[in-house]
Amino acid sequence: MLDVRRMQVLRAVVSTGSITAAAENLGYTPSAVSQQVAALEREAGLPLLDRVGRGVRPTTAGRVLTEHAARIADRLVEAEAALADLRAGRTGRLRVRYFATAGAALVPPAVAAFRTAHPDVALDLKLTEPDDPAVEVAAGRADVAVVVSHAADEPTRGVHLVHLLDDPYLAVLPRGHELARKRVLDLADLAGEPWVDAVVPPGPCRGIVLDACAGAGFAPTVVVEADDYPTAQGFVAAGLGVTIVPKLSLGVVHPGVVVRRLRRPEPTRTICAAAREDAVGSPAVDSLLRALRAAAATQGTTQGATTP
Protein backbone atom coordinates (compact mmCIF):
# COMPACT_ATOMS: atom_id res chain seq x y z
CA MET A 1 0.00 0.00 0.00
CA LEU A 2 1.20 3.48 -0.82
CA ASP A 3 2.38 5.60 2.10
CA VAL A 4 0.36 8.83 2.29
CA ARG A 5 3.16 10.76 4.03
CA ARG A 6 5.65 9.82 1.31
CA MET A 7 3.13 10.94 -1.32
CA GLN A 8 3.05 14.35 0.33
CA VAL A 9 6.87 14.47 0.23
CA LEU A 10 6.74 13.67 -3.48
CA ARG A 11 4.19 16.44 -3.96
CA ALA A 12 6.53 18.92 -2.26
CA VAL A 13 9.42 17.84 -4.52
CA VAL A 14 7.33 18.13 -7.68
CA SER A 15 5.88 21.52 -6.69
CA THR A 16 9.36 22.99 -6.05
CA GLY A 17 11.16 21.08 -8.80
CA SER A 18 14.03 20.33 -6.43
CA ILE A 19 14.80 17.82 -3.70
CA THR A 20 16.88 20.41 -1.91
CA ALA A 21 14.13 23.05 -1.97
CA ALA A 22 11.53 20.52 -0.85
CA ALA A 23 13.79 19.43 2.03
CA GLU A 24 14.19 23.01 3.15
CA ASN A 25 10.41 23.62 3.06
CA LEU A 26 9.65 20.41 4.93
CA GLY A 27 12.40 20.78 7.50
CA TYR A 28 14.13 17.57 6.35
CA THR A 29 17.60 16.89 5.02
CA PRO A 30 17.93 16.33 1.25
CA SER A 31 19.06 12.80 2.02
CA ALA A 32 15.91 12.08 4.01
CA VAL A 33 13.71 13.39 1.18
CA SER A 34 15.58 11.25 -1.35
CA GLN A 35 15.07 8.20 0.85
CA GLN A 36 11.34 8.89 1.13
CA VAL A 37 10.98 9.24 -2.65
CA ALA A 38 13.00 6.08 -3.23
CA ALA A 39 10.83 4.13 -0.83
CA LEU A 40 7.69 5.43 -2.57
CA GLU A 41 9.12 4.34 -5.94
CA ARG A 42 9.57 0.82 -4.55
CA GLU A 43 5.96 0.84 -3.35
CA ALA A 44 4.73 2.13 -6.73
CA GLY A 45 6.97 -0.18 -8.77
CA LEU A 46 7.75 2.67 -11.17
CA PRO A 47 10.19 5.59 -11.29
CA LEU A 48 8.57 8.81 -10.12
CA LEU A 49 11.20 11.48 -10.87
CA ASP A 50 13.56 12.26 -13.73
CA ARG A 51 16.62 14.39 -13.12
CA VAL A 52 16.80 17.54 -15.24
CA GLY A 53 20.00 19.54 -14.69
CA ARG A 54 20.11 20.36 -10.97
CA GLY A 55 16.42 19.76 -10.52
CA VAL A 56 13.85 17.03 -11.07
CA ARG A 57 10.57 16.62 -12.91
CA PRO A 58 7.88 13.99 -12.43
CA THR A 59 7.45 10.98 -14.63
CA THR A 60 3.95 10.04 -15.73
CA ALA A 61 3.61 7.89 -12.59
CA GLY A 62 4.99 10.78 -10.54
CA ARG A 63 2.36 13.16 -11.91
CA VAL A 64 -0.42 10.67 -11.16
CA LEU A 65 0.70 10.23 -7.57
CA THR A 66 1.19 13.98 -7.13
CA GLU A 67 -2.37 14.66 -8.29
CA HIS A 68 -3.74 12.04 -5.90
CA ALA A 69 -1.57 13.43 -3.09
CA ALA A 70 -3.17 16.86 -3.61
CA ARG A 71 -6.68 15.36 -3.39
CA ILE A 72 -5.71 13.39 -0.29
CA ALA A 73 -4.40 16.57 1.34
CA ASP A 74 -7.70 18.31 0.60
CA ARG A 75 -9.63 15.41 2.15
CA LEU A 76 -7.44 15.50 5.24
CA VAL A 77 -8.16 19.21 5.67
CA GLU A 78 -11.88 18.49 5.33
CA ALA A 79 -11.64 15.66 7.87
CA GLU A 80 -9.84 17.89 10.37
CA ALA A 81 -12.46 20.61 9.90
CA ALA A 82 -15.27 18.07 10.38
CA LEU A 83 -13.69 16.81 13.59
CA ALA A 84 -13.25 20.39 14.81
CA ASP A 85 -16.95 21.01 14.16
CA LEU A 86 -17.86 17.88 16.11
CA ARG A 87 -15.65 18.88 19.03
CA ALA A 88 -17.23 22.33 19.05
CA GLY A 89 -20.76 20.93 18.75
CA ARG A 90 -21.41 22.63 15.40
CA THR A 91 -22.32 19.46 13.48
CA GLY A 92 -23.12 15.82 14.09
CA ARG A 93 -26.14 13.81 15.18
CA LEU A 94 -27.69 13.19 18.58
CA ARG A 95 -30.09 10.32 19.27
CA VAL A 96 -32.67 11.40 21.87
CA ARG A 97 -35.27 9.12 23.47
CA TYR A 98 -38.12 10.02 25.84
CA PHE A 99 -41.40 8.88 27.39
CA ALA A 100 -44.75 10.38 26.48
CA THR A 101 -45.34 13.07 29.12
CA ALA A 102 -41.74 14.24 28.85
CA GLY A 103 -42.16 14.32 25.09
CA ALA A 104 -45.15 16.62 25.45
CA ALA A 105 -43.84 18.96 28.14
CA LEU A 106 -40.02 18.95 28.31
CA VAL A 107 -38.59 17.82 25.00
CA PRO A 108 -40.20 20.34 22.58
CA PRO A 109 -38.96 23.55 24.29
CA ALA A 110 -35.56 21.96 24.91
CA VAL A 111 -35.23 20.94 21.26
CA ALA A 112 -36.29 24.41 20.09
CA ALA A 113 -33.61 26.05 22.26
CA PHE A 114 -31.00 23.50 21.18
CA ARG A 115 -31.64 24.01 17.47
CA THR A 116 -31.24 27.74 17.87
CA ALA A 117 -27.78 27.16 19.35
CA HIS A 118 -26.81 24.22 17.11
CA PRO A 119 -28.68 24.48 13.79
CA ASP A 120 -26.34 22.04 12.03
CA VAL A 121 -26.64 19.22 14.56
CA ALA A 122 -29.22 16.64 13.48
CA LEU A 123 -31.52 15.30 16.20
CA ASP A 124 -32.99 11.80 16.00
CA LEU A 125 -36.02 12.06 18.30
CA LYS A 126 -38.04 8.99 19.25
CA LEU A 127 -40.73 8.03 21.75
CA THR A 128 -39.87 4.68 23.36
CA GLU A 129 -42.88 4.15 25.64
CA PRO A 130 -43.79 1.62 26.98
CA ASP A 131 -40.12 0.63 26.82
CA ASP A 132 -37.78 2.39 29.25
CA PRO A 133 -35.75 5.04 27.35
CA ALA A 134 -32.84 4.52 29.77
CA VAL A 135 -32.31 1.09 28.23
CA GLU A 136 -31.58 2.74 24.88
CA VAL A 137 -28.77 4.81 26.42
CA ALA A 138 -27.31 1.86 28.33
CA ALA A 139 -27.30 -0.20 25.12
CA GLY A 140 -25.59 2.57 23.14
CA ARG A 141 -28.59 3.10 20.87
CA ALA A 142 -29.21 6.64 22.20
CA ASP A 143 -27.02 9.51 23.35
CA VAL A 144 -29.53 11.23 25.67
CA ALA A 145 -32.85 10.09 27.13
CA VAL A 146 -35.43 11.59 29.47
CA VAL A 147 -36.19 8.95 32.09
CA VAL A 148 -37.96 8.28 35.38
CA SER A 149 -35.36 7.46 38.01
CA HIS A 150 -35.59 5.77 41.41
CA ALA A 151 -33.17 6.57 44.21
CA ALA A 152 -33.11 2.86 45.03
CA ASP A 153 -32.04 1.88 41.50
CA GLU A 154 -28.49 0.66 41.01
CA PRO A 155 -26.45 3.10 38.89
CA THR A 156 -26.22 1.89 35.30
CA ARG A 157 -22.67 1.51 34.09
CA GLY A 158 -21.79 3.98 31.37
CA VAL A 159 -24.84 6.19 32.03
CA HIS A 160 -24.68 9.66 33.60
CA LEU A 161 -27.87 11.01 35.21
CA VAL A 162 -28.78 14.72 35.44
CA HIS A 163 -31.71 15.63 37.71
CA LEU A 164 -34.38 17.65 35.90
CA LEU A 165 -37.35 17.87 38.28
CA ASP A 166 -39.43 16.10 40.90
CA ASP A 167 -42.91 15.53 39.48
CA PRO A 168 -45.61 15.04 42.18
CA TYR A 169 -48.73 12.99 41.56
CA LEU A 170 -52.12 14.70 41.89
CA ALA A 171 -55.59 13.29 42.47
CA VAL A 172 -58.04 13.53 39.57
CA LEU A 173 -61.71 13.38 40.60
CA PRO A 174 -65.00 13.68 38.71
CA ARG A 175 -66.33 17.22 38.91
CA GLY A 176 -68.87 17.32 41.74
CA HIS A 177 -67.24 14.45 43.67
CA GLU A 178 -67.65 14.90 47.44
CA LEU A 179 -63.84 14.77 47.98
CA ALA A 180 -63.46 17.76 45.65
CA ARG A 181 -64.51 19.99 48.57
CA LYS A 182 -61.03 19.45 50.05
CA ARG A 183 -58.09 21.43 48.70
CA VAL A 184 -55.61 18.72 49.74
CA LEU A 185 -56.38 15.02 50.04
CA ASP A 186 -54.74 12.34 52.11
CA LEU A 187 -53.94 9.49 49.76
CA ALA A 188 -55.91 7.21 52.10
CA ASP A 189 -59.05 9.27 51.26
CA LEU A 190 -59.07 7.43 47.92
CA ALA A 191 -58.88 3.96 49.46
CA GLY A 192 -62.59 3.18 49.12
CA GLU A 193 -62.98 4.66 45.65
CA PRO A 194 -63.07 2.80 42.32
CA TRP A 195 -59.85 3.54 40.46
CA VAL A 196 -58.96 4.21 36.86
CA ASP A 197 -55.50 2.76 36.28
CA ALA A 198 -53.78 5.38 34.14
CA VAL A 199 -50.64 3.31 33.39
CA VAL A 200 -51.31 -0.35 32.64
CA PRO A 201 -47.87 -1.68 31.58
CA PRO A 202 -45.52 -2.49 34.47
CA GLY A 203 -42.86 0.16 34.93
CA PRO A 204 -41.49 2.82 37.26
CA CYS A 205 -44.54 5.10 37.08
CA ARG A 206 -46.98 2.33 37.95
CA GLY A 207 -44.67 1.15 40.70
CA ILE A 208 -44.62 4.61 42.27
CA VAL A 209 -48.43 4.63 42.49
CA LEU A 210 -48.71 1.12 43.94
CA ASP A 211 -45.92 1.74 46.47
CA ALA A 212 -47.53 4.99 47.64
CA CYS A 213 -50.92 3.31 48.06
CA ALA A 214 -49.28 0.50 50.03
CA GLY A 215 -47.67 3.14 52.23
CA ALA A 216 -51.14 4.61 52.88
CA GLY A 217 -52.41 1.18 53.87
CA PHE A 218 -54.45 0.05 50.88
CA ALA A 219 -54.33 -1.39 47.38
CA PRO A 220 -56.39 0.47 44.76
CA THR A 221 -59.53 -1.20 43.43
CA VAL A 222 -59.10 -0.86 39.68
CA VAL A 223 -62.30 -0.86 37.63
CA VAL A 224 -60.95 0.60 34.38
CA GLU A 225 -57.53 0.24 32.75
CA ALA A 226 -56.44 3.16 30.59
CA ASP A 227 -53.35 3.23 28.41
CA ASP A 228 -52.45 6.86 29.03
CA TYR A 229 -53.18 9.86 31.23
CA PRO A 230 -55.54 11.77 28.88
CA THR A 231 -57.66 8.63 28.42
CA ALA A 232 -57.76 8.15 32.19
CA GLN A 233 -59.10 11.70 32.58
CA GLY A 234 -61.94 10.86 30.20
CA PHE A 235 -62.98 7.85 32.25
CA VAL A 236 -62.81 9.90 35.45
CA ALA A 237 -64.89 12.67 33.88
CA ALA A 238 -67.52 10.06 33.02
CA GLY A 239 -67.76 9.23 36.72
CA LEU A 240 -66.28 5.75 36.48
CA GLY A 241 -63.63 6.26 39.13
CA VAL A 242 -60.76 8.38 40.41
CA THR A 243 -57.08 8.30 39.57
CA ILE A 244 -53.78 9.92 40.39
CA VAL A 245 -51.47 11.22 37.67
CA PRO A 246 -48.16 13.11 37.52
CA LYS A 247 -48.42 16.88 37.46
CA LEU A 248 -46.42 16.97 34.22
CA SER A 249 -49.19 15.03 32.45
CA LEU A 250 -51.77 17.74 33.17
CA GLY A 251 -50.88 20.19 30.44
CA VAL A 252 -54.52 19.84 29.36
CA VAL A 253 -57.13 19.20 32.05
CA HIS A 254 -60.45 17.63 31.02
CA PRO A 255 -63.35 20.02 31.81
CA GLY A 256 -65.18 17.22 33.59
CA VAL A 257 -62.57 16.67 36.30
CA VAL A 258 -61.00 18.50 39.22
CA VAL A 259 -57.41 18.12 40.37
CA ARG A 260 -56.30 18.08 44.00
CA ARG A 261 -52.96 17.86 45.79
CA LEU A 262 -52.05 14.73 47.74
CA ARG A 263 -50.27 14.16 51.03
CA ARG A 264 -49.46 11.40 53.53
CA PRO A 265 -47.75 10.33 51.30
CA GLU A 266 -47.33 12.54 48.25
CA PRO A 267 -46.22 10.20 45.44
CA THR A 268 -43.49 11.79 43.39
CA ARG A 269 -41.50 10.62 40.41
CA THR A 270 -37.97 11.88 39.75
CA ILE A 271 -37.32 12.83 36.15
CA CYS A 272 -33.73 12.85 34.92
CA ALA A 273 -31.80 13.17 31.70
CA ALA A 274 -29.67 10.09 31.08
CA ALA A 275 -26.61 10.54 28.87
CA ARG A 276 -23.84 8.25 27.75
CA GLU A 277 -20.87 8.93 30.03
CA ASP A 278 -18.47 9.00 27.09
CA ALA A 279 -20.62 11.70 25.45
CA VAL A 280 -20.85 13.99 28.48
CA GLY A 281 -18.54 16.95 27.98
CA SER A 282 -19.17 17.24 24.26
CA PRO A 283 -20.62 20.69 23.45
CA ALA A 284 -23.74 19.33 21.76
CA VAL A 285 -24.68 16.92 24.57
CA ASP A 286 -23.94 19.48 27.29
CA SER A 287 -26.01 22.07 25.44
CA LEU A 288 -28.98 19.69 25.17
CA LEU A 289 -28.73 18.85 28.88
CA ARG A 290 -28.78 22.58 29.71
CA ALA A 291 -31.82 23.05 27.48
CA LEU A 292 -33.64 20.19 29.23
CA ARG A 293 -32.83 21.67 32.65
CA ALA A 294 -34.16 25.06 31.52
CA ALA A 295 -37.36 23.45 30.20
CA ALA A 296 -37.80 21.59 33.49
CA ALA A 297 -37.30 24.78 35.48
CA THR A 298 -40.02 26.46 33.43
CA GLN A 299 -42.41 23.59 34.11
CA GLY A 300 -41.77 23.96 37.83
CA THR A 301 -42.76 27.64 37.81
CA THR A 302 -45.72 27.63 35.39
CA GLN A 303 -47.85 24.58 36.19
CA GLY A 304 -50.73 24.95 38.57
CA ALA A 305 -51.26 22.29 41.24
CA THR A 306 -55.06 22.12 41.30
CA THR A 307 -58.18 23.05 39.42
CA PRO A 308 -61.28 24.44 41.15
Side-chain angles (χ1 to χ4, degrees), residues 15 20 27-28 52 69 83 95 97 127 177 181 222 243 297 306:
S15 65
T20 301
Y28 296 162
V52 180
L83 288 174
R95 300 162 298 171
R97 304 294 180 259
L127 173 71
H177 193 285
R181 292 176 298 178
V222 175
T243 193
T306 61

Side-chain angles (χ1 to χ4, degrees), residues 149-225:
S149 174
H150 287 283
D153 289 346
E154 290 290 328
T156 303
R157 185 175 180 180
V159 176
H160 175 73
L161 289 179
V162 176
H163 179 268
L164 297 178
L165 77 159
D166 294 320
D167 190 22
Y169 280 71
L170 303 174
V172 181
L173 311 171
R175 188 168 290 279
H177 193 285
E178 61 179 24
L179 288 175
R181 292 176 298 178
K182 295 185 177 182
R183 304 302 297 177
V184 182
L185 301 179
D186 291 342
L187 185 56
D189 290 339
L190 304 178
E193 299 290 331
W195 275 57
V196 176
D197 190 348
V199 184
V200 175
C205 294
R206 193 163 190 264
I208 290 168
V209 172
L210 295 179
D211 289 348
C213 291
F218 73 98
T221 302
V222 175
V223 296
V224 179
E225 292 184 344

Side-chain angles (χ1 to χ4, degrees), residues 170 247 250 253 259 261 299-307:
L170 303 174
K247 180 179 176 182
L250 292 171
V253 177
V259 179
R261 289 176 50 204
Q299 285 295 327
T301 58
T302 60
Q303 275 194 321
T306 61
T307 58

